[in-house]
């Protein structure tokens, strides 16, 4: 990807919770990442909870809405790298070797990415040494996006 490309693209596949998406948008604004939302959503973008979570940060975010996974794929530039974040992965996100303009894909809060999708892409995971359930979506995106930024920019 070229130097003019955004730091990252954060992709939410069928997100369900307005508050989580609002918080992810805030992370995107802070990092200079673009946000991609793949339908269907479990909320409306005009939902009060979404507006409360995103506050005025949405003004600083390039937001892309895609009607489906197929539509998203059709919008990808040649050579785009999409990393699926999944608890079913074996490779840690800290070893992914992220590059400027990479796409970080996360699944819906209640079920994660479907097998047909995550198995078709390079997969990475966040460490969960305590076991138990997965991190909240917006927390997972924040951890992943800042680590990707560190790898790219050397912070």
């Amino acid at each position: 990807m070229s130097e003019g490309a955004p730091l990252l693209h954060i992709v939410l596949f069928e997100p369900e919770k307005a508050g989580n998406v609002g918080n992810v948008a805030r992370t995107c604004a802070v990092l200079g990442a673009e946000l991609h939302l793949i339908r269907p959503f479990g909320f409306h973008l005009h939902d009060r909870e979404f507006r409360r979570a995103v506050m005025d940060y949405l003004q600083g975010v390039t937001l892309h809405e895609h009607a489906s996974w197929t539509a998203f794929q059709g919008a990808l530039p040649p050579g785009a790298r999409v990393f699926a974040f999944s608890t079913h992965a074996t490779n840690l996100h800290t070893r992914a070797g992220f590059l400027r303009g990479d796409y970080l894909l996360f699944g819906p809060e209640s079920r994660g990415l479907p097998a047909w999708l995550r198995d078709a892409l390079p997969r990475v995971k966040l460490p969960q040494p305590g076991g138990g359930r997965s991190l909240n979506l917006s927390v997972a995106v924040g951890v992943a996006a800042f680590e990707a930024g560190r790898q790219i920019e050397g912070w």
Side-chain angles (χ1 to χ4, degrees), residues 87 128-135:
T87 58
Q128 296 184 136
R133 298 178 62 178
S134 297
L135 288 171

Side-chain angles (χ1 to χ4, degrees), residues 4 9 11 15-16 43 66 77 83 94 97 103 107 121-122 131 135 150:
H9 295 267
V11 184
E16 299 166 335
F43 61 95
H66 304 278
F83 291 87
T94 53
Y103 291 75
L121 297 167
L135 288 171
R150 186 197 65 77

